[in-house]
Amino acid sequence: MNDEILDWGIAELARRLESRDVTTVEVIDAYQEQIAIQEPEVDAFLSLDLDAAHRRAMDQDDRRSRGETLGRLAGVPIALKDNLCTMEFPTTAASKILEGWTPPYNATVVDRILDQDGIVVGKTNLDEFAMGSSTENSAYKITKNPYDLERVPGGSSGGSAAAVASRMALVSLGSDTGGSIRQPASLTGVVGFKPTYGRVSRYGLLAFASSLDQIGPLTASVEDAALVAEAIMGHDPRDATSLQEVAPSLVASLAEGVRGIRVGILTNLVETATPQVQASVLRAAEVLTQSGASVAEISLDELAFGLAAYYVVAPAEASSNLARYDGVRYGLREAGSTVEEMMIATRTKGFGPEVKRRIMLGTYALSAGYYDAFYVTAQRVRTLVRTAFARAYADFDLLLCPTSPTTAFRIGERSSDPVEMYRSDVCTIPSNLSGDPAISIPAGVDADGLPIGVQLLGPALSEQLLFRGAYAVERGLR
């Protein structure tokens, strides 16, 4: 019975719970057993509270027996990336500087998950402060790819992706600054969705790069991603960048198909990928064609500069955002004979190598004499990327490309070469720079049995159309 429970998506789980084929406690028991088996090998979680999950499950069974109406995520085991503030769990951002810190409030997305009766089972590992592409930069552990424990799950939301891929959670939430939801989704064979900037509140997300960060779901299917996206999207007055637009209905329109939709294949991003990844993109294009979409090639040369621009803008914003971790207000505090010495000692001990690298890069880019040469130039390139996408969306409704140029690489393979590691995000960064939505869909495996993901991009506020395209690809590639 447990394996059967783990195979159910959100809609099927809801039907089974409603018909009393299974109880919520039995669902949580099934996932607890899976966690006991998988977690010692995968290392996806930084904290777990299965006792609290059981209490919520028992409460939901009692409410259901009394005839109460439960939320759309009732009984769904959910994992949260450990940079989302939670009152019931520590929130560390996988950094020693916040070790043991428990926030006094929940992130908006966490409250919205709980309001819909989702059951949080734990907090997942990540690259420290979401800075990385492999989840090797955590201060606590290295998460492994469930398909091959000697390989990375991607990053920075590698723990969230691995939790879903190993069926330790039905849903997880991650954050995406330069591809940190979509790239690990690709490397672990799950669905990863990044919404339009402002669609999902960032309130309670520990900031990395505020103009780039977005929160989104990782799930086993496009339908599940749509259900969770509907639950967390919507205006939040506590987030000044939150959009006023009413969140669209995604699930109801999934089956409308893609007939008449114009899809452009981003050839210059396809060319960055390995032959097997390129073949998967072409298969997805064929599926869209057979489903009634018109597909043609397009090249956006400006996207080639996105990687360089990102690695100026993101570190610059990080150097500003992480200045708050100074040993004065909360988190780690090391002793020093002066305030300056205390701050230096605290930040030296509290931050890891990758975080320090990006703080130094960002501070340098913002310093007097270099601000115009680096930061202002990077923002101009960001405008070029936005303009290029606007030009493309005049001719196409959606764009298709790889999510990651390669499948999962071995643990330690790129650790000594930061530039090579940064290239992992070449296909995902452009939509963060533009603020547009994007989704990664599993598209088979390579010769070594490692997952491949393909990516659909859309213009701002095109989530409904984006999910229709993703659903068509998912069904066609099964």
Side-chain angles (χ1 to χ4, degrees), residues 27 237-238 280 321 330 337 357:
V27 172
R238 294 176 295 182
S280 292
N321 279 322
Y330 52 87
S337 58
R357 180 185 293 119

Side-chain angles (χ1 to χ4, degrees), residues 279-288 290-291 400 440-445 452-455 469-478:
S280 292
V281 173
L282 295 179
R283 284 197 297 273
E286 184 178 351
V287 165
L288 290 166
Q290 292 172 349
S291 300
L400 174 68
S440 178
I441 314 106
V445 297
I452 296 171
V454 298
Q455 186 179 199
Y471 190 64
V473 170
E474 179 185 61
R475 287 190 301 173
L477 291 177
R478 280 177 181 167

Side-chain angles (χ1 to χ4, degrees), residues 174-193:
S175 64
D176 194 311
T177 306
S180 289
I181 289 172
R182 291 161 289 149
Q183 186 254 15
S186 175
L187 270 52
T188 59
V190 301
V191 175
F193 167 60

